[in-house]
């Protein structure tokens, strides 16, 4: 036993989320600068895992890990995260993954991403963040469907108008997708596949927009009409948290005037919601910053 450490990135919503046939899936949008960091301090005099009250999901995941490997004992689990909660940025999933990695590190357990997926899905629908690359993931059953690798260079400008979404409660409500919706999901999947094959962010942004439009019937974003206008102006795609509050515009990271575009988008969003408390976000595949 030793001091165990583990970490995991968050996401900015999802590129796509829907169903293929009867199978739920999402395509992840990992953001490296959004992180959950965990430490596990083993204590042989303790039976079970002690955590702060707000990290009970990570605690439950750790208990499942103990059962899986037949571990006896316990200790203190500490988690620090810069990922906002209830926004659709995978805060809970990142906490769970980081915690499992920290506990496994402490006990030198041969933990795999498949094991993490299995445990995480027992706790709640999970975002696939145990995989650092962009993946297609069954978030209900915790199963990897396909891996695409790293996203082509991108710029992401996002906005949050406030509020919180309980992921567990949201996913308990059946989603009624029409036949046309399902066709859009298939088209979006194909576009993402093409975008990664050709390393072309335009196709990936188009896929994200298709999925975001369908999601307007499920969890509408008041900011969507504005994002639709701005994304069209700069040939970008609309990205949303399908079970969260954030939304944004995904742009080609090779834009020659990228900084000017980001500043303009911030001004447009701030002006459109003047007097309303909002949070603005800016991520880039290279600099990985948050505002």
């Amino acid at each position: 036993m030793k001091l165990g450490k583990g970490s995991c990135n968050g996401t900015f919503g999802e590129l796509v989320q829907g169903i293929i046939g009867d199978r739920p899936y999402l395509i992840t949008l990992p953001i490296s600068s959004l992180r959950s960091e965990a430490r596990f301090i083993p204590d042989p005099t303790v039976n079970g895992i002690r955590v702060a009250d707000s990290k009970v999901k990570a605690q439950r995941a750790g208990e499942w890990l103990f059962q899986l490997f037949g571990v006896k004992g316990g200790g203190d689990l500490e988690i620090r995260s810069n990922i906002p909660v209830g926004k659709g940025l995978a805060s809970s999933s990142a906490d769970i993954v980081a915690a499992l990695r920290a506990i496994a590190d402490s006990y030198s357990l041969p933990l795999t991403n498949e094991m993490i997926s299995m445990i995480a899905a027992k706790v709640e629908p999970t975002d696939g963040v145990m995989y650092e690359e962009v993946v297609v993931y069954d978030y209900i059953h915790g199963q990897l469907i396909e891996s695409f690798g790293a996203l082509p260079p991108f710029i992401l400008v996002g906005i949050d108008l406030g509020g919180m979404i309980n992921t567990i409660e949201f996913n308990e409500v059946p989603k009624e997708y029409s036949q046309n919706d399902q066709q859009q999901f298939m088209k979006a999947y194909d576009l993402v596949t093409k975008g990664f094959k050709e390393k072309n962010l335009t196709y990936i942004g188009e896929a994200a927009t298709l999925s975001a439009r369908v999601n307007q019937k499920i969890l509408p974003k008041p900011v969507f009409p504005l994002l639709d206008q701005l994304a069209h102006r700069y040939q970008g795609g609309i990205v949303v948290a399908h079970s969260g509050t954030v939304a944004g515009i995904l742009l080609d990271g090779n834009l020659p005037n990228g900084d000017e575009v980001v500043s303009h988008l911030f001004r447009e969003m701030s002006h459109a919601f003047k007097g309303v408390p909002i949070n603005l976000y800016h991520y880039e595949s290279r600099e990985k910053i948050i505002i």
Side-chain angles (χ1 to χ4, degrees), residues 155-171:
I155 297 170
L156 176 59
V157 176
I159 183 171
D160 176 26
L161 298 183
M164 296 177 67
I165 301 293
N166 184 305
T167 304
I168 294 178
E169 293 178 0
F170 179 82
N171 282 290

Side-chain angles (χ1 to χ4, degrees), residues 160-280:
D160 176 26
L161 298 183
M164 296 177 67
I165 301 293
N166 184 305
T167 304
I168 294 178
E169 293 178 0
F170 179 82
N171 282 290
E172 286 177 347
V173 179
K175 309 299 183 293
E176 296 185 2
Y177 295 120
S178 67
Q179 184 175 356
N180 181 64
D181 293 338
Q182 296 187 51
Q183 290 173 349
Q184 295 300 300
F185 293 139
M186 288 298 298
K187 183 178 179 181
Y189 196 137
D190 291 342
L191 282 167
V192 173
T193 302
K194 184 176 183 180
F196 275 91
K197 184 178 180 179
E198 299 184 12
K199 301 187 184 306
N200 188 327
L201 198 76
T202 299
Y203 295 122
I204 298 171
E206 186 179 344
T209 301
L210 288 176
S211 186
R213 287 192 191 282
V214 175
N215 193 64
Q216 277 296 94
K217 298 185 292 185
I218 306 297
L219 185 62
K221 304 288 191 292
V223 72
F224 188 91
L226 174 64
L227 295 183
D228 200 13
Q229 280 184 0
L230 295 174
H232 180 73
R233 186 182 306 173
Y234 293 107
Q235 293 78 52
I238 303 173
V239 177
V240 301
H242 293 73
S243 57
T245 63
V246 299
I249 298 175
L250 186 66
L251 300 163
D252 189 332
N254 295 315
L255 278 176
N257 57 339
D259 290 342
E260 294 177 15
V261 172
V262 170
S263 297
H264 179 259
L265 290 174
F266 276 159
R267 288 196 300 271
E268 290 283 336
M269 292 177 184
S270 299
H271 178 74
F273 295 96
K274 189 175 182 179
V276 177
I278 62 172
N279 287 315
L280 297 175

Side-chain angles (χ1 to χ4, degrees), residues 51-71:
V51 297
D53 291 342
S54 62
K55 303 299 181 180
V56 292
K57 293 177 182 178
Q59 179 187 41
R60 288 176 59 198
E63 291 168 350
W64 277 107
L65 182 63
F66 272 19
Q67 290 185 33
L68 180 63
F69 284 97
V71 174

